[in-house]
């Protein structure tokens, strides 16, 4: 299987090919992220008959910020068009709808893994594990094409754990290639300390004052960076998988080369025109509005 590093189009949500699954299958509670309660399996009141959101362009102002930081990684169209062959949950039986709603979160997890595996295959420093990553990518893709019954019975947590071993090894290799220190890799001022020594995995950094912090090559896997001040921080080559960036201030931060960073994470944060991003991600619209 060739590296699929430049085409992740199938791993981006395509609402036009989906039956609004995230707006029905998933529950949410009234909070700062959602304006009302909604149980799993019940359509959001903003979901229209054509499966489009009636307030999509105004979600934040209407109290549905949580919707703007969610991404199915293309699972919606996979389940709608492939797993269930284009049969709408509205026109099928109740059992058909229930199975579709049960399967959607499973495929979403698999597609998220496909995103990370595909990205890992584009990282030169991870070449020692590229063969294993390709095999994991092929196996994960195969699982996404299971029948609804097979997907419902799948131990997705066990598969995630297997893939995570490879992603951890990828992280070690990539971060080991990032030189820390004021001069940066290759600069005369570098002291040669490797970024892999900055292990902040799962760290509680809520509201932390990290303005201008040198976090090159750091592991921020699962770190709680809610409302953290990261203005002007250097996050090049940092592992960002699962980092909680809700309301974190990324103004003028440098995220070029940061890996395992997703669009939902950026959408949950604040930033500016001066925030530098990986090429695979786009600057959230509300950043410009805030500036």
């Amino acid at each position: 299987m060739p590296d699929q590093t430049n085409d992740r189009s199938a791993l981006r949500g395509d609402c036009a090919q989906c039956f609004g699954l995230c707006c029905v299958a998933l529950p949410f509670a009234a909070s700062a992220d959602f304006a009302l309660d909604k149980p799993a399996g019940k359509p959001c009141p903003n979901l229209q008959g054509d499966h489009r959101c009636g307030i999509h362009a105004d979600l934040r102002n209407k109290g549905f910020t949580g919707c703007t930081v969610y991404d199915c990684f293309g699972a919606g169209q996979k389940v709608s068009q492939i797993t269930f062959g284009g049969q709408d949950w509205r026109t099928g039986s109740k059992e058909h709808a229930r199975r579709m709603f049960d399967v959607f979160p499973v495929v979403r997890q698999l597609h998220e893994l496909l995103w990370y595996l595909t990205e890992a295959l584009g990282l030169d420093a991870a070449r020692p594990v590229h063969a294993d990553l390709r095999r994991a990518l092929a196996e994960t893709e195969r699982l996404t094409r299971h029948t609804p019954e097979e997907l419902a019975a799948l131990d997705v947590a066990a598969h995630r754990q297997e893939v995570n071993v490879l992603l951890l090894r990828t992280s070690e290799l990539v971060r080991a290639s990032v030189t820390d220190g004021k001069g940066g890799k290759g600069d005369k001022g570098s002291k040669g300390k490797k970024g892999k020594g900055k292990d902040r995995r799962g760290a509680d950094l809520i509201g932390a004052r990290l303005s201008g912090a040198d976090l090159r090559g750091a592991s921020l896997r699962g770190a709680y960076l809610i409302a953290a001040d990261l203005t002007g921080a250097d996050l090049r080559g940092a592992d960002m998988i699962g980092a909680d960036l809700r309301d974190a201030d990324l103004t003028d931060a440098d995220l070029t080369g940061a890996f395992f960073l997703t669009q939902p994470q950026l959408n949950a944060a604040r930033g500016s025109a001066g925030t530098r991003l990986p090429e695979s991600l786009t600057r959230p619209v509300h950043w410009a509005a805030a500036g």
Side-chain angles (χ1 to χ4, degrees):
M1 177 182 289
D3 291 357
Q4 300 177 18
T5 55
N6 295 319
D7 183 12
R8 284 187 270 185
S9 57
L11 301 178
R12 300 178 191 276
D14 183 354
C15 296
Q17 296 299 314
C18 178
F19 297 141
L21 294 183
C22 65
C23 305
V24 187
L26 306 180
F28 51 73
S31 62
D33 293 322
F34 296 100
L36 46 80
D37 292 317
K38 188 194 81 65
K42 180 180 179 179
C44 172
N46 297 308
L47 186 66
Q48 302 179 129
D50 61 357
H51 304 297
R52 299 297 184 94
C53 175
I55 61 169
H56 187 268
D58 203 26
L59 283 166
R60 286 181 173 272
N61 292 332
K62 296 291 185 178
F64 288 86
T65 300
C67 297
T68 70
V69 299
Y70 178 81
D71 191 340
C72 73
F73 295 99
Q77 62 258 33
K78 172 72 72 64
V79 172
S80 297
Q81 303 301 329
I82 297 178
T83 312
F84 287 88
Q87 186 176 4
D88 186 350
W89 55 268
R90 277 190 168 117
T91 58
S93 66
K94 289 185 177 179
E95 176 60 20
H96 166 83
R98 184 191 65 77
R99 286 193 301 157
M100 183 176 281
F101 301 154
D102 287 345
V103 163
F104 171 63
V106 175
V107 178
R108 194 269 183 192
Q109 289 188 64
L110 293 173
H111 268 235
E112 182 179 10
L113 292 177
L114 288 175
W115 179 276
Y116 293 137
L117 287 166
T118 303
E119 180 175 358
L121 282 167
L123 300 172
D124 288 339
R127 286 193 177 278
V129 292
H130 273 191
D132 291 333
L133 288 166
R134 289 191 192 94
R135 284 190 287 270
L137 180 68
E139 173 61 11
T140 305
E141 174 59 31
R142 186 185 72 81
L143 292 175
T144 70
R145 295 180 180 275
H146 273 358
T147 65
E149 294 74 20
E150 291 171 327
L151 284 165
L154 178 66
D155 187 348
V156 70
H159 183 67
R160 286 185 69 97
Q161 184 56 39
E162 292 176 6
V163 171
N164 192 49
V165 172
L166 287 174
L167 297 181
L168 279 168
R169 180 56 181 149
T170 296
S171 178
E172 292 169 356
L173 291 167
V174 175
R175 291 186 299 109
S177 70
V178 179
T179 301
D180 200 3
K182 295 182 179 179
K185 186 173 182 179
D187 291 350
K188 293 180 180 179
S190 174
K191 296 180 181 179
K193 179 183 177 183
K194 297 298 184 180
K196 63 180 180 179
K198 295 178 179 176
D199 189 355
R200 306 308 301 274
R201 184 178 181 185
D204 182 353
L205 298 171
I206 297 175
R209 297 178 180 177
L210 296 168
S211 178
D214 185 352
L215 294 169
R216 279 175 287 179
S219 175
L220 293 168
R221 296 172 65 91
Y224 296 95
L225 289 157
I226 302 169
D229 179 6
L230 288 161
T231 57
D234 193 341
L235 292 152
R236 289 176 292 173
D239 181 349
M240 303 296 294
I241 195 168
D244 193 337
L245 295 172
R246 283 177 293 170
D247 205 33
D249 192 348
L250 297 173
T251 298
D252 296 335
D254 191 347
L255 289 151
T256 54
F259 58 101
F260 298 153
L261 178 68
T262 65
Q263 193 64 50
Q265 286 173 292
L266 285 183
N267 292 349
R270 293 177 288 128
S272 66
T275 305
R276 283 166 282 184
L277 304 175
E279 292 183 359
S280 62
L281 302 176
T282 59
R283 197 174 308 280
V285 175
H286 70 278
W287 285 14

